[in-house]
Amino acid sequence: MNINKMLVLAAAAASVTASAQVTLNDKNAYAYDLGYGVEISDFFTTAAVTTISGEELQQTSATNLAEALYGRLPALTALSQGGFAGDENKGASFNIRGYHTLSDKSILILVDGYERPIDRLSVEEVESVTVLKDAAATALLGHEGVNGAILVKTKRGSIGRAHVTVDYSHKFQFSPEFADMVDGYTYARALNRARANDGLSAAYTDGELNLFKDGSAPFFYPNVNWRDLTFSNRGEEDHAYVSVYGGTDKVRYYTNIDFVDSRGALKDAGQADYNAQLRRSKANIRTNLDFSITGSTEMSVNLFGMFQETKRPSDISADGLISTLYTLPASAFPYKTSTGIWGGNETYGAVNPAARIQESGFYKTHQRQLWVDGKLTQKLDFWVKGLSVFISAGYANSSIMAENSSKSFEYGYERYTGTIGDKNNVALATFGNKQNDLTFANWVDSQWWTASGNIGVNWKHSFTADDHFNAAIIYNNKGENRDGRGNTYYRQNIMGVFHYDYLSRFMGDLVLAGNGSNRSYPSKWAFSPVLSLGWIYADNSESLLNYGKLRASGAIQHTDYMPTYGMWLPTWDASHGYVIIGNNYSPTWGASLGAFPTTDFSQETSKSVNLGTDLRLLNSLDFTVDGFYQRRSHIMLSANNENSSVVGIQSSYNDVGEVESYGFEVSAKYAKHITPDLNVNAGVTLAWSSNRVLKYIGTPTYPLSDPVGHRVNEAWGLQSAGFFKDQADIDGSCRQEFSTVSVGDVKYRDLNGDKVINQFDVTSLNGGTDIPELNYAFNLGVEYKGFGVNAWFQGTGNYYKYLPTEIWGGMANGGNLSVDYYNNCYDMAGDNALYPRLTTQTNNNNNQNSDIWYKKVHFLKMRNCELYYKLPSTLLSKLWLTSAKVFVQGENLVSFDNVDAMDAEVFSTAYPMFKGVNVGVTLTF
Amino acid sequence: MKTDMNKIKYALLGMAAVAITGCADLDYNEGSSRDEDWTYNSPINGVKNLVYDVYAQMPSEFKDDLYGMGAMLASATDEAEFALSYSPIHNYYNGGWTPSNPFDNTWTVAYRAITQVHMYLERINKIDLSEYEYDPDYQTMVQQFEIFPYELRFLRAYFYFELVRAYGDVPLVTTTLTNAQANSVARTPAEEVFRFIVDECDAVAQYLPVSYNDVPGQEIGRATRGAALALKARALLYRASPLFNKDNNRELWKEAAAAGKFIIDNAAVWGYSLSEYANLWGHDTFTNPEFIFVLGTQASNQFEKYNYPVGVENGNSGNCPTQSLVDAYEYRADGKTFKEKHPGNINVTTENPYDGLDPRFALTVVKNGDVWPSNTTQQLVMETYRGGFNGAPKYGATPTGYYLKKFVDGSCVTAANNPTTTRHNWIVMRLAEVYLNYAEAMYNYYGDADAAGEFGMSANEAINVLRNRPDIMMPEFHGNDGFEERYMRERMVELAFEGHRFWDVRRWKKGAEFFNGVNVADLRLENGDVILSRVTKNRQWAEKYNLYPIPQSELQKNGNLTQNPNW
């Protein structure tokens, strides 16, 4: 009997990995549970899904789930954007299998079946995370799931005594990567050079340069290391949680209280009456309850609350500070004047980062999230065997209250009005408004809510002894609202779900879904069928190949994406400014038809196929390969690209865009109990995905810039051909139609052969897109007699970053100068230069998008590593403990990339990513 | 057990009922309900706003930041140099102005506004005020609404003027178009576009009120008869100018002179009079009787922030008058120009070269040693020389040695501490321009600056009206000798920073003479004296710059459009 075989297999797998900290997935477990009562085991699933357990995620020291997913799931690209822990919309960004469309590229993130954010969810409360890659996996998710989804399952109770786990850890954060900027003397010299290049007189005499060099007149010729003054390079984080689970045959519970407190790296943030240090304090409280009300009635209720408070200086955010540290030259002005006023001048304004940390007051946010969901399942076997119904609903809301206590400060600088060095003739220029008292204001910064209700009927039946049939009809209904007009979504889905398997060898799933949305037009409904088939060609726990399955899925799905809200309405409320009319001088805003309505279109459609196989070898090695192809059509693009402005009204959209995307993932996971004391595990994944625009709107104005045939979000620009060497070189080269060029400016290639360089020479720079096409990861773990070590690596390849102008702006417009730019600019490096000449002015020729500024990047990082010791059970029993673990975890300790100046991943002026060492203990009673 | 079951069943049924009835509304719509019917049936928020939206798109250098970072069109001429290098204004002369980077604001905004006029005129029968018949303001409304179509036709003519002076031949469209039609229209010869403008102005002028003081609502700021006729006179002057008058038809000058004289003759009747130069700007000038058409702005100190000197808190130097402009000012004593008297280096400290200049100089330009701005919180003695507090090499300091005073309200405080704001009124047309236009037309028609001809006022007489204003009192113009040069100087000085020079030099086809570089003042301290020497800043000029390039993307969309010569 096949079911027995399956159980044997599951038991074998369980026994092999019983005490190993990493196990192969239990094939008997549900592959993924959307909460709709559709319960397909990993053994039988025909969908492309991969799951990672919460236990494995806890090997990281991440204090939120989003940050625990770097390099952990095949096809899920998670990259850090930097930012301080409490910042909104920073941290990890996600996509699944790359880009599939020119429109909305976001993925869907679900927690226990409901759309929820995971950047505030703790890792401890997570049972597992599943990436839903193909249409078979996202078939029940409606319009929102079409770009792929992540499904988080939270922990639940189980029958038995109360298990109490207590954990505390402290994280030391250190050594973020920064690009170095030049010192005051170098800047001053470079400024003279730049001004000479611009045909301007020198800013400083040799005597003045010497004052910068020897530092003898620091108030007049300063050399301030702003980073050393304001940034400590060290942060820290405390994390603790208590979780309890257990239950009786009537009630099972899991509850968790998680607290995390993160402090930033500002120097001298503490004042007499307040402390403006970057700080995030957050508590999560979760209770998941399961009730067995009667023998046939099950109910579950999940409650989640999150309370977060953040703090920063009023006048400068974490990202803003880093940006200032990059943009403010060391020679700009002194830290303070000799009279004790904050340094500052008319060129840079009130930017002194030390002043803004110490004397601008503080800004706080208070964020609250409440999530509630519940489900009631009633078996109706008494009426029809195998029949059950369920009803479920979920609601979540969030609000962020902001509170600002601010004051402004006075700043200024001194200058010699007589001869340089004449202390009797010094003038002080001051600016700004010194306020001694804080001004208080508060407001609601943002809020959202989302509500969802589901009702469904399930029928399980076996027609013969060797088959299973499962049919479900599900109705789903949801609403969502975010700040701002046009951000309200109402959606309904009616789905018929059918599963059949025969002989435990052949499986088929069919989902027929009607997806309704208030954002689609003219038809509110789209029909999305998904068919997937599976064949288990091996199922034998004794042989070399324990398990083998082939999967195939194909689907037509839709999105309800709309480029402009209400685009089908002829709306006469476009205003183009005001006019002053009348003796009372009152401004009047006008109105007009904003755009031609878009009425004749189809919803963006995805047609996709996925082919995959899952293997298990020697009961210790899982191997999965998936390949996919997706073709997205009816992508909405603005017809402004094809209509002359002479018509006078903005064009409508045409649904003509088409994109194909394709790729594959290979993953292998090995877990083995080698001797009773020795467990090893290892994993490797490799994912590659790419895409191609097949159709775009209009005829391209610049033929070489035609997006058709290229990837979505490719780097476009001019191809450089070195730098102009001399006037003869300029005279002998093609005219460049961006601005007047001089020696040391970028010379471009004439790609279209018309002897002038202009927009017609802009082409694809073949530098990849803004997200990596190649993603790989591997991990290793060994445990011996309670001692264990784990390491997780993430690698990326083939994508680009644009060199941030704050760092590579080459001192134009009072900007700063990085060491990398200075050493490699035309003035210093000549023929070997990477960057154009120094200039104090905007140089439109050099600022064109080109291969000078797009840098192809790749990196390999040891994201996490862990060293731990689990106390032996003999000792534990005396301490009333069932387990005890002490650990040291590292994050981002080792990184290899192709960027010398700074971190290739967070390649921006965002608050940087730190290295971290986390020390802690986990006790279970 | 059985009863429990029933309870649950009922509970389930109840919940299901809630779920179904509380279902998400797929017809939910947050879009605006202001559709066409609503608009044309709502007199104030609908119809009136349609008209005002066309007004709102009239370009105003004080309201719209048309050239980026506060740059004025003057900075693309020899009047000024913009201090900050990141403004796109520099593209006009650094080689970066191309069909791909075309300054296409005029093209897109004008056609949008023109289309809005067509739409209104074509739907005029949909306007229904009958619902408001018993409204106390009904009569006012009716009287105001009767004028709307004529105002809109004036505005359409104005936007066509904006187009034709920039692009020359442009598609002359007088009805709404479909996309397909718009993608195939051809360019209409410039003379036909000018003719359309003139005919439209003639057609609507009689229906437009002389002043809105007598029209219910007193909605000052709407188009008047004077505005329509002044536009006509200006359009005729452009039409007669060398750039557009290719076969040098003298009669066109005559037409322009006649149109100008008509306004001059009626000015007093219509309530226009020349104002003091200093009253052309300031908080309360919206109703200055010299203004024929003016665009107000809300009170703000943005213009002062853009143009106050570096060194004044929140000052950004902005549009800095050039030495070329300063050189054009004459001395009151003998009518000689600054340049004529001081051709070489000047010891500013000992020679006092600015004493006795045309009073418009001190109202237009801030020079070294001036106390500026006038508000006591911020005022400084200007040091615009090298190493001075407001001079190079300080970042963003004036590249010309001067700062802008005209239109800048020196009483406005831009400091962080207790800032103040003021209104700025962008002059579209004013009476002095009418006199200048008339003088130019008369001289070109008769070839004699003293010829009063059939209009009874010679070019010199017209100009002397301006020079004899009590606050100006500059020596009169007499004779023909060097008239053209003196006239161009007078026009530059009088209309400085009002957005004329850019177009005047183009229509005169004098770009190579005036725009091929500008002179700026390099001020140095030598033994305590300030020494001024002229430095020429190179600018690129090409004859193709006389007309704007048609945007490359427009050529791509419409195969019937042709590019202007040599672009």
Side-chain angles (χ1 to χ4, degrees):
Chain A
M1 172 116 179
N2 287 299
I3 291 297
N4 285 342
K5 268 192 202 169
M6 201 177 83
L7 291 175
V8 168
L9 174 73
S15 71
V16 163
T17 56
S19 63
Q21 84 280 27
V22 172
T23 61
L24 299 181
N25 284 350
D26 177 2
K27 294 241 172 256
N28 217 10
Y30 296 136
Y32 56 100
D33 179 2
L34 299 170
Y36 292 152
V38 180
E39 294 160 343
I40 310 289
S41 70
D42 199 27
F43 188 93
F44 282 121
T45 187
T46 53
V49 296
T50 311
T51 298
I52 186 168
S53 70
E55 201 180 353
E56 284 178 72
L57 292 172
Q58 278 187 297
Q59 293 168 356
T60 74
S61 54
T63 51
N64 75 62
L65 180 62
E67 306 248 16
L69 296 176
Y70 296 123
R72 303 306 287 268
L73 285 161
L76 176 71
T77 305
L79 295 171
S80 174
Q81 313 167 73
F84 181 66
D87 292 347
E88 289 297 300
N89 303 317
K90 299 293 273 188
S93 68
F94 298 112
N95 65 74
I96 293 173
R97 291 180 158 177
Y99 292 144
H100 310 286
T101 179
L102 296 157
S103 66
D104 182 21
K105 303 174 182 70
S106 59
I107 65 164
L108 178 65
I109 298 177
L110 301 168
V111 177
D112 293 326
Y114 297 95
E115 186 173 355
R116 300 283 185 260
I118 56 168
D119 56 348
R120 302 285 178 245
L121 201 64
S122 75
V123 180
E124 153 58 24
E125 64 201 289
V126 173
E127 171 70 32
S128 67
V129 178
T130 304
V131 56
L132 308 179
K133 294 182 282 194
D134 72 342
T138 61
L140 300 179
L141 302 181
H143 292 310
E144 307 96 291
V146 74
N147 290 329
I150 301 172
L151 175 63
V152 177
K153 192 171 180 227
T154 60
K155 285 179 178 162
R156 312 207 69 81
S158 58
I159 297 174
R161 70 172 181 89
H163 297 261
V164 181
T165 302
V166 180
D167 172 285
Y168 169 76
S169 64
H170 180 85
K171 192 191 288 183
F172 302 90
Q173 296 174 304
F174 54 92
S175 300
E177 279 194 59
F178 276 98
D180 289 321
M181 307 308 280
V182 299
D183 64 17
Y185 171 61
T186 312
Y187 188 88
R189 252 185 350 161
L191 185 62
N192 275 359
R193 179 72 189 246
R195 286 180 63 91
N197 287 344
D198 297 333
L200 299 169
S201 60
Y204 303 107
T205 62
D206 288 346
E208 290 177 298
L209 288 178
N210 277 328
L211 292 173
F212 277 115
K213 193 175 187 180
D214 62 22
S216 59
F219 296 115
F220 300 88
Y221 299 93
N223 176 22
V224 185
N225 188 325
W226 295 107
R227 199 203 308 164
D228 281 358
L229 272 174
T230 58
F231 194 82
S232 71
N233 280 341
R234 285 199 343 265
E236 51 187 343
E237 200 162 68
D238 286 297
H239 179 212
Y241 67 80
V242 180
S243 68
V244 186
Y245 72 91
T248 65
D249 55 352
K250 293 287 182 199
V251 184
R252 297 172 302 285
Y253 58 91
Y254 168 82
T255 186
N256 176 49
I257 299 174
D258 185 285
F259 179 77
V260 56
D261 185 79
S262 320
R263 275 91 67 194
L266 308 187
K267 276 188 181 168
D268 304 320
Q271 307 306 314
D273 46 351
Y274 65 88
N275 190 330
Q277 181 61 266
L278 299 173
R279 185 159 189 174
R280 183 272 301 256
S281 309
K282 176 180 75 96
N284 289 5
I285 300 170
R286 169 175 292 280
T287 297
N288 290 351
L289 297 171
D290 295 291
F291 305 97
S292 299
I293 298 174
T294 70
S296 61
T297 313
E298 296 282 333
M299 189 169 95
S300 62
V301 175
N302 303 331
L303 296 168
F304 171 83
M306 193 283 288
F307 311 89
Q308 176 176 276
E309 185 173 308
T310 69
K311 187 152 65 172
R312 64 168 172 84
S314 172
D315 203 21
I316 194 162
S317 64
D319 286 358
L321 171 69
I322 305 305
S323 176
T324 302
L325 297 183
Y326 278 124
T327 51
L328 188 58
S331 62
F333 46 76
Y335 172 70
K336 282 187 174 179
T337 66
S338 65
T339 52
I341 293 170
W342 291 111
N345 61 20
E346 56 277 83
T347 303
Y348 299 98
V351 299
N352 189 326
R356 289 200 281 168
I357 290 170
Q358 297 175 37
E359 220 182 296
S360 74
F362 60 94
Y363 170 86
K364 288 171 87 168
T365 66
H366 307 271
Q367 186 172 4
R368 313 267 181 269
Q369 281 183 22
L370 178 68
W371 310 355
V372 189
D373 57 84
K375 181 180 177 187
L376 185 65
T377 309
Q378 175 65 53
K379 290 181 182 156
L380 299 173
D381 293 298
F382 66 93
W383 183 30
V384 176
K385 191 167 172 357
L387 189 69
S388 66
V389 294
F390 79 92
I391 181 161
S392 65
Y395 175 80
N397 73 18
S398 162
S399 77
I400 301 178
M401 295 291 301
E403 177 185 324
N404 194 19
S405 293
S406 63
K407 58 182 180 179
S408 57
F409 55 88
E410 186 181 35
Y411 60 97
Y413 68 102
E414 290 153 304
R415 65 201 160 98
Y416 293 120
T417 52
T419 53
I420 287 165
D422 174 6
K423 295 239 160 55
N424 295 321
N425 282 305
V426 170
L428 171 69
T430 61
F431 309 93
N433 183 15
K434 184 172 175 62
Q435 293 173 325
N436 292 313
D437 299 322
L438 294 168
T439 306
F440 180 81
N442 68 331
W443 61 91
V444 177
D445 195 60
S446 75
Q447 52 187 353
W448 53 261
W449 62 261
T450 163
S452 174
N454 311 289
I455 187 161
V457 184
N458 269 282
W459 183 51
K460 289 179 185 167
H461 188 71
S462 292
F463 298 103
T464 70
D466 286 334
D467 72 351
H468 302 92
F469 176 71
N470 190 346
I473 305 294
I474 298 159
Y475 169 75
N476 154 266
N477 175 354
K478 49 194 163 185
E480 175 187 337
N481 177 273
R482 285 167 201 284
D483 288 332
R485 184 171 172 185
N487 290 328
T488 305
Y489 296 76
Y490 284 115
R491 290 163 169 139
Q492 296 178 42
N493 297 301
I494 298 171
M495 298 169 287
V497 185
F498 307 95
H499 169 84
Y500 184 73
D501 61 67
Y502 181 62
L503 295 173
S504 291
R505 294 188 69 170
F506 305 104
M507 297 87 76
D509 286 278
L510 176 67
V511 175
L512 302 173
N515 307 125
S517 167
N518 72 322
R519 301 175 80 85
S520 55
Y521 176 92
S523 161
K524 292 288 170 191
W525 290 89
F527 173 63
S528 304
V530 181
L531 177 68
S532 50
L533 301 169
W535 171 42
I536 296 174
Y537 55 85
D539 178 17
N540 182 346
S541 62
E542 307 300 318
S543 69
L544 170 73
L545 182 61
N546 309 118
Y547 178 77
K549 179 168 68 176
L550 266 180
R551 289 177 278 107
S553 69
I556 301 172
Q557 293 171 294
H558 302 89
T559 80
D560 58 355
Y561 175 77
M562 238 185 334
T564 304
Y565 182 73
M567 61 186 185
W568 55 84
L569 299 167
T571 304
W572 290 64
D573 64 354
S575 177
H576 300 103
Y578 67 85
V579 60
I580 300 283
I581 296 281
N583 276 324
N584 60 0
Y585 214 84
S586 54
T588 309
W589 271 264
S592 65
L593 175 63
F596 286 122
T598 304
T599 51
D600 180 23
F601 65 94
S602 301
Q603 281 174 251
E604 186 175 324
T605 304
S606 153
K607 290 178 184 155
S608 62
V609 292
N610 188 86
L611 269 175
T613 183
D614 304 302
L615 305 176
R616 178 167 290 174
L617 300 163
L618 294 170
N619 287 323
S620 56
L621 179 65
D622 271 356
F623 190 74
T624 297
V625 182
D626 272 288
F628 74 95
Y629 178 87
Q630 186 179 137
R631 187 167 178 142
R632 203 65 78 84
S633 58
H634 299 290
I635 300 169
M636 218 74 78
L637 295 166
S638 169
N640 281 340
N641 270 8
E642 47 190 19
N643 293 323
S644 167
S645 307
V646 172
V647 79
I649 297 169
Q650 288 281 311
S651 290
S652 57
Y653 294 89
N654 283 352
D655 60 336
V656 295
E658 282 189 26
V659 173
E660 64 176 2
S661 53
Y662 38 83
F664 66 87
E665 299 102 36
V666 184
S667 60
K669 185 172 182 179
Y670 175 76
K672 192 158 168 78
H673 204 62
I674 292 174
T675 72
D677 288 332
L678 178 64
N679 300 321
V680 294
N681 70 82
V684 59
T685 70
L686 173 74
W688 177 84
S689 60
S690 188
N691 61 68
R692 213 153 57 97
V693 177
L694 298 175
K695 286 185 187 162
Y696 200 73
I697 195 161
T699 315
T701 303
Y702 308 104
L704 295 179
S705 302
D706 187 354
V708 172
H710 291 275
R711 290 162 287 187
V712 175
N713 287 12
E714 251 181 48
W716 295 89
L718 295 156
Q719 288 181 3
S720 63
F723 304 93
F724 288 114
K725 289 181 176 48
D726 47 36
Q727 192 58 42
D729 190 9
I730 294 172
D731 296 341
S733 302
C734 299
R735 186 175 79 251
Q736 308 202 156
E737 293 188 324
F738 306 107
S739 60
T740 314
V741 294
S742 55
V743 175
D745 283 337
V746 187
K747 183 169 158 180
Y748 299 110
R749 288 186 205 285
D750 179 24
L751 296 184
N752 70 342
D754 63 355
K755 304 291 178 208
V756 285
I757 311 296
N758 54 24
Q759 204 66 30
F760 283 96
D761 298 296
V762 168
T763 184
S764 166
L765 296 174
N766 292 322
T769 71
D770 60 339
I771 55 166
E773 280 191 342
L774 178 69
N775 290 279
Y776 59 97
F778 52 92
N779 67 290
L780 281 167
V782 180
E783 183 179 290
Y784 181 67
K785 291 195 170 180
F787 284 97
V789 60
N790 291 305
W792 291 82
F793 296 83
Q794 179 188 11
T796 61
N798 205 25
Y799 72 127
Y800 69 76
K801 292 278 185 180
Y802 192 86
L803 297 183
T805 52
E806 294 91 338
I807 307 172
W808 278 275
M811 73 200 311
N813 298 308
N816 205 353
L817 182 61
S818 61
V819 171
D820 182 59
Y821 192 102
Y822 183 61
N823 290 338
N824 294 297
C825 68
Y826 182 79
D827 301 83
M828 299 303 293
D831 288 346
N832 299 320
L834 300 175
Y835 312 117
R837 69 184 170 98
L838 298 171
T839 173
T840 60
Q841 298 176 338
T842 293
N843 187 313
N844 289 336
N845 180 72
N846 297 346
N847 292 353
Q848 295 298 312
N849 283 342
S850 75
D851 49 17
I852 303 265
W853 310 117
Y854 280 114
K855 184 151 182 74
K856 205 163 174 175
V857 295
H858 53 81
F859 68 77
L860 170 62
K861 288 187 172 184
M862 185 166 79
R863 283 288 188 189
N864 301 289
C865 56
E866 184 190 43
L867 196 65
Y868 63 87
Y869 177 61
K870 286 178 177 164
L871 270 61
S873 49
T874 46
L875 187 60
L876 291 173
S877 54
K878 291 173 194 160
L879 299 170
W880 297 88
L881 288 167
T882 52
S883 87
K885 176 181 167 185
V886 291
F887 54 86
V888 180
Q889 294 165 329
E891 62 183 23
N892 299 316
L893 292 182
V894 184
S895 173
F896 307 96
D897 62 39
N898 65 329
V899 180
D900 293 334
M902 63 190 299
D903 179 37
E905 184 185 17
V906 186
F907 206 121
S908 73
T909 59
Y911 192 80
M913 192 184 232
F914 285 72
K915 295 179 171 58
V917 170
N918 192 41
V919 185
V921 57
T922 311
L923 306 173
T924 306
F925 299 93
Chain B
M1 189 66 203
K2 179 78 176 158
T3 51
D4 280 358
M5 210 63 192
N6 274 332
K7 281 181 199 161
I8 288 163
K9 225 156 59 184
Y10 291 132
L12 269 174
L13 282 170
M15 287 168 80
V18 170
I20 303 299
T21 53
C23 78
D25 177 9
L26 298 190
D27 293 322
Y28 180 86
N29 172 21
E30 285 173 291
S32 170
S33 58
R34 296 191 169 192
D35 59 6
E36 186 172 321
D37 287 342
W38 184 92
T39 301
Y40 283 93
N41 290 320
S42 309
I44 306 302
N45 293 318
V47 178
K48 208 165 185 177
N49 281 1
L50 293 176
V51 176
Y52 287 165
D53 201 53
V54 182
Y55 275 106
Q57 293 174 75
M58 287 188 77
S60 157
E61 293 202 20
F62 295 152
K63 193 177 65 151
D64 301 326
D65 193 16
L66 297 166
Y67 307 98
M69 324 296 167
M72 302 174 79
L73 195 57
S75 290
T77 74
D78 51 352
E79 288 173 0
E81 169 88 1
F82 195 69
L84 300 174
S85 70
Y86 52 88
S87 168
I89 191 83
H90 302 285
N91 286 332
Y92 275 117
Y93 50 75
N94 71 8
W97 189 20
T98 64
S100 307
N101 186 21
F103 287 105
D104 60 355
N105 199 51
T106 300
W107 182 272
T108 53
V109 172
Y111 276 113
R112 187 173 65 203
I114 286 166
T115 301
Q116 288 175 220
V117 175
H118 299 153
M119 291 174 79
Y120 184 97
L121 297 177
E122 288 166 14
R123 288 165 176 76
I124 204 158
N125 294 330
K126 298 188 108 185
I127 300 171
D128 182 5
L129 299 184
S130 58
E131 252 186 67
Y132 297 83
E133 204 169 332
Y134 302 104
D135 194 291
D137 292 334
Y138 180 69
Q139 284 308 322
T140 304
M141 217 185 282
V142 168
Q143 286 185 51
Q144 288 181 349
F145 275 48
E146 272 174 1
I147 310 171
F148 281 160
Y150 305 108
E151 291 172 70
L152 288 171
R153 285 171 66 185
F154 159 76
L155 290 169
R156 180 170 63 181
Y158 182 82
F159 281 106
Y160 268 118
F161 176 74
E162 288 262 324
L163 283 168
V164 72
R165 79 173 169 184
Y167 293 97
D169 304 351
V170 290
L172 178 62
V173 176
T174 53
T175 58
T176 50
L177 301 180
T178 63
N179 282 323
Q181 287 170 324
N183 288 342
S184 62
V185 289
R187 297 170 68 185
T188 309
E191 53 262 38
E192 287 177 37
V193 180
F194 278 117
R195 187 50 56 197
F196 174 79
I197 294 165
V198 170
D199 289 349
E200 282 288 285
C201 287
D202 271 338
V204 301
Q206 56 181 312
Y207 299 103
L208 291 173
V210 162
S211 154
Y212 282 84
N213 281 319
D214 310 324
V215 177
Q218 296 185 312
E219 295 192 331
I220 315 297
R222 288 164 61 182
T224 58
R225 186 173 307 165
L229 294 172
L231 173 61
K232 172 190 168 189
R234 191 197 283 179
L236 286 167
L237 181 79
Y238 274 68
R239 170 70 184 97
S241 299
L243 182 62
F244 298 106
N245 189 358
K246 294 198 175 90
D247 39 9
N248 196 18
N249 178 357
R250 273 181 64 230
E251 290 304 312
L252 293 170
W253 290 112
K254 186 180 177 189
E255 210 184 335
K261 192 63 181 5
F262 186 70
I263 300 167
I264 291 170
D265 289 344
N266 285 288
V269 182
W270 294 342
Y272 297 120
S273 61
L274 292 168
S275 100
E276 279 188 33
Y277 202 70
N279 289 343
L280 294 176
W281 61 98
H283 191 70
D284 294 316
T285 56
F286 189 55
T287 51
N288 182 322
E290 180 170 340
F291 293 171
I292 297 172
F293 203 94
V294 61
L295 297 169
T297 57
Q298 293 181 296
S300 152
N301 62 15
Q302 189 57 54
F303 188 71
E304 281 67 34
K305 285 181 175 171
Y306 282 142
N307 290 295
Y308 272 177
V310 149
V312 175
E313 188 168 350
N314 291 319
N316 287 295
S317 299
N319 304 280
C320 298
T322 59
Q323 185 63 42
S324 302
L325 175 66
V326 174
D327 281 341
Y329 285 93
E330 298 169 8
Y331 290 93
R332 192 178 247 173
D334 53 10
K336 284 217 167 88
T337 65
F338 188 94
K339 179 94 178 263
E340 284 166 338
K341 248 192 185 158
H342 301 281
N345 288 1
I346 309 165
N347 185 325
V348 176
T349 312
T350 58
E351 294 178 47
N352 297 320
Y354 305 103
D355 287 358
L357 275 179
D358 186 327
R360 288 173 289 190
F361 168 77
L363 291 167
T364 306
V365 178
V366 176
K367 63 179 191 302
N368 184 54
D370 283 357
V371 175
W372 181 251
S374 46
N375 73 77
T376 50
T377 323
Q378 292 182 290
Q379 66 183 213
L380 296 169
V381 177
M382 286 290 118
E383 300 175 1
T384 65
Y385 51 83
R386 265 196 227 174
F389 189 61
N390 314 99
K394 191 173 276 193
Y395 172 74
T398 173
T400 66
Y402 300 101
Y403 287 105
L404 179 63
K405 189 182 274 182
K406 188 170 177 181
F407 294 122
V408 181
D409 189 333
S411 67
C412 206
V413 178
T414 59
N417 197 4
N418 297 323
T420 63
T421 61
T422 188
R423 294 175 194 148
H424 300 82
N425 300 300
W426 178 248
I427 303 167
V428 181
M429 293 181 278
R430 64 179 171 104
L431 190 54
E433 185 212 334
V434 176
Y435 278 98
L436 289 165
N437 292 353
Y438 172 75
E440 184 179 340
M442 283 299 283
Y443 174 77
N444 281 289
Y445 180 60
Y446 288 105
D448 177 0
D450 283 323
E454 64 187 86
F455 302 110
M457 182 190 263
S458 70
N460 280 334
E461 283 166 340
I463 284 175
N464 291 338
V465 170
L466 302 181
R467 290 175 71 93
N468 285 327
R469 281 174 291 177
D471 61 322
I472 307 294
M473 292 307 288
M474 291 296 291
E476 289 193 342
F477 273 25
H478 294 290
N480 255 352
D481 194 24
F483 176 86
E484 193 181 37
E485 196 190 325
R486 284 184 286 129
Y487 165 77
M488 289 191 293
R489 237 168 27 220
E490 179 69 18
R491 190 173 171 96
M492 181 187 196
V493 162
E494 176 64 28
L495 300 178
F497 296 92
E498 295 184 35
H500 285 278
R501 178 103 179 141
F502 183 92
W503 306 108
D504 287 338
V505 170
R506 282 171 164 74
R507 67 186 171 85
W508 295 331
K509 297 176 88 170
K510 298 261 186 207
E513 185 178 330
F514 293 119
F515 291 171
N516 220 341
V518 293
N519 285 332
V520 299
D522 177 27
L523 302 171
R524 298 181 310 283
L525 275 187
E526 275 179 23
N527 306 320
D529 288 358
V530 177
I531 308 297
L532 184 155
S533 50
R534 290 182 183 80
V535 175
T536 302
K537 285 207 148 194
N538 289 326
R539 289 182 175 183
Q540 294 187 29
W541 174 262
E543 283 309 300
K544 66 178 179 182
Y545 289 179
N546 281 323
L547 294 174
Y548 275 41
I550 306 287
Q552 191 68 41
S553 54
E554 291 292 297
L555 295 178
Q556 172 58 42
K557 292 165 192 169
N558 179 354
N560 291 334
L561 285 184
T562 51
Q563 185 54 280
N564 271 327
N566 302 316
W567 278 106

